[in-house]
Amino acid sequence: LMFALSLLLGTTITITSNHWIMAWAGLEINTLSILPLIAKSHHPRAIEAATKYFMTQATASALVLFSSMTNAWHTGQWDITQMTHTTSCLILTSAIAMKLGMVPFHFWFPEVLQGSPIITGLILSTIMKLPPIALLYMTSHSLNPTLLTLMAIMSAALGGWMGLNQTQIRKILAFSSISHLGWMAIIIPFSPKLTMLNFYLYVLMTSAIFLTMNTVKALKLSTLMTSWTKAPALNTMLLLTLLSLAGLPPLTGFLPKWLIIQELTKQNMAPTAIIISLLSLLGLFFYLRLAYCATITLPPHTTNHMKQWHTYKPTSTLIAISIVMSIMLLPISPMIPTIL
């Protein structure tokens, strides 16, 4: 409970701060409070994941501090929204990319997620990404659009390519997270609110999937194949949530992709929009494979796992609400332009 509270405290400090030192302190509190949650199981893999996480986050925090100090040195103020020095902006972009796990600083993320318990993995994929995204949002007007577009396309490509041959569910979700970060980063110089919308919907859909995997206790594809007998209704909804995360209409996940492609076209970046849309097809392949394993491969089949017993425990309200919202929010799309 103490670590969870300090996690929320760190996130809140970073999001609400105007001063770079406060933002940096929030990021540090966040990092230190998640480490015990990663290393909780005392398994060598978990300890390795915690060490990797600590090293990368410490480097990224040092870079954030360095870029803000350089900016303060040249401009004389520490305001987050006033990043006017070009080199500072470039260093900040790479620091935040390292914090988020964007390409080319993505190597730590799948390994750390694979070594963490499922609920810690959910925290890493959602809450821990909020402070860096908030910093990106506040500095979006001064960042370099070309660099962000390049990193975004590389993230979408590598997140799709590297997720294709994975069998561990947590690694697949990590690569899915990397490709979604590509979609968020490509639009932030032009429409930061759209990035936040994309992030909120991504958090919603990922939470639904992680909580479902936690309920059926599935960690790799072969155990997912036998989970149909355990919770048939939940698995059916998992199919729709996965397709929503892939961005298929008429599900919720289509909404941010649609708005982002529309905005990119308005900015005369139609070729970029076409490239990133085609790269999201790679992600669709492994979401379909997850969905296929979860719902379409009914026994008898060749996996040598024991058949699971049907559970009659009621599904938690949180999973039910997040799944319904992950599937059915597309009709609210006419409201979005009024908010943006």
Side-chain angles (χ1 to χ4, degrees):
L1 181 66
M2 189 179 83
F3 292 128
L5 286 174
S6 49
L7 196 76
L8 290 172
L9 173 72
T11 307
T12 315
I13 288 175
T14 305
I15 292 169
T16 53
S17 60
N18 257 339
H19 195 285
W20 271 115
I21 298 290
M22 283 296 284
W24 172 78
L27 291 171
E28 286 298 301
I29 293 171
N30 250 0
T31 304
L32 293 174
S33 56
I34 193 82
L35 284 172
L37 298 177
I38 298 174
K40 194 168 59 175
S41 62
H42 298 296
H43 189 274
R45 178 64 67 84
I47 305 295
E48 180 192 341
T51 313
K52 283 178 179 170
Y53 185 76
F54 175 72
M55 302 288 274
T56 46
Q57 297 299 312
T59 314
S61 291
L63 282 175
V64 167
L65 206 53
F66 179 58
S67 71
S68 54
M69 279 170 65
T70 316
N71 187 61
W73 181 268
H74 283 276
T75 60
Q77 39 81 25
W78 287 87
D79 194 346
I80 293 182
T81 51
Q82 305 292 323
M83 283 290 275
T84 48
H85 189 243
T86 323
T87 318
S88 302
C89 289
L90 292 176
I91 298 170
L92 179 75
T93 309
S94 56
I96 291 181
M98 201 181 289
K99 280 257 173 222
L100 288 169
M102 271 171 67
V103 176
F105 308 104
H106 65 288
F107 297 102
W108 63 272
F109 189 54
E111 301 297 325
V112 169
L113 215 61
Q114 181 56 33
S116 315
I118 280 206
I119 296 298
T120 311
L122 168 62
I123 294 172
L124 279 171
S125 302
T126 54
I127 301 172
M128 295 303 286
K129 291 210 176 351
L130 186 53
I133 290 266
L135 288 178
L136 266 185
Y137 180 82
M138 287 190 273
T139 55
S140 57
H141 53 85
S142 49
L143 298 175
N144 185 343
T146 318
L147 177 66
L148 280 169
T149 305
L150 196 64
M151 286 166 83
I153 286 177
M154 286 198 306
S155 294
L158 270 159
W161 277 119
M162 295 175 77
L164 291 180
N165 61 348
Q166 301 295 333
T167 56
Q168 298 284 345
I169 291 170
R170 282 169 294 183
K171 274 199 175 175
I172 291 177
L173 288 170
F175 287 118
S176 134
S177 176
I178 291 169
S179 60
H180 273 270
L181 281 169
W183 281 89
M184 291 175 217
I186 202 162
I187 201 65
I188 200 146
F190 312 111
S191 175
K193 285 183 179 171
L194 211 49
T195 297
M196 296 313 286
L197 172 76
N198 193 346
F199 178 70
Y200 297 143
L201 292 180
Y202 162 74
V203 166
L204 186 69
M205 295 182 285
T206 307
S207 304
I209 289 172
F210 267 105
L211 291 169
T212 306
M213 295 302 175
N214 189 47
T215 306
V216 297
K217 297 286 178 280
L219 292 177
K220 48 184 187 286
L221 291 180
S222 52
T223 41
L224 190 63
M225 283 184 187
T226 58
S227 68
W228 173 261
T229 48
K230 194 171 184 180
L234 193 58
N235 268 32
T236 312
M237 298 312 276
L238 177 65
L239 164 78
L240 291 171
T241 315
L242 283 163
L243 293 180
S244 178
L245 198 59
L248 288 187
L251 304 166
T252 306
F254 177 60
L255 174 60
K257 285 189 166 59
W258 177 25
L259 292 170
I260 286 172
I261 290 169
Q262 189 181 347
E263 183 64 36
L264 285 174
T265 317
K266 280 182 194 165
Q267 301 288 343
N268 294 327
M269 293 174 70
T272 317
I274 291 167
I275 291 168
I276 202 163
S277 308
L278 289 174
L279 289 172
S280 70
L281 292 176
L282 293 167
L284 175 62
F285 176 82
F286 57 75
Y287 293 126
L288 277 175
R289 193 169 62 166
L290 271 173
Y292 180 80
C293 289
T295 52
I296 306 170
T297 43
L298 292 180
H301 45 60
T302 52
T303 52
N304 53 359
H305 274 271
M306 290 189 59
K307 191 175 174 185
Q308 301 190 44
W309 288 97
H310 195 313
T311 55
Y312 289 99
K313 283 191 303 185
T315 307
S316 79
T317 322
L318 184 62
I319 302 183
I321 292 170
S322 56
I323 284 182
V324 168
M325 288 177 74
S326 322
I327 295 170
M328 298 185 176
L329 281 189
L330 192 65
I332 67 155
S333 50
M335 282 169 53
I336 303 293
T338 59
I339 301 167
L340 301 177

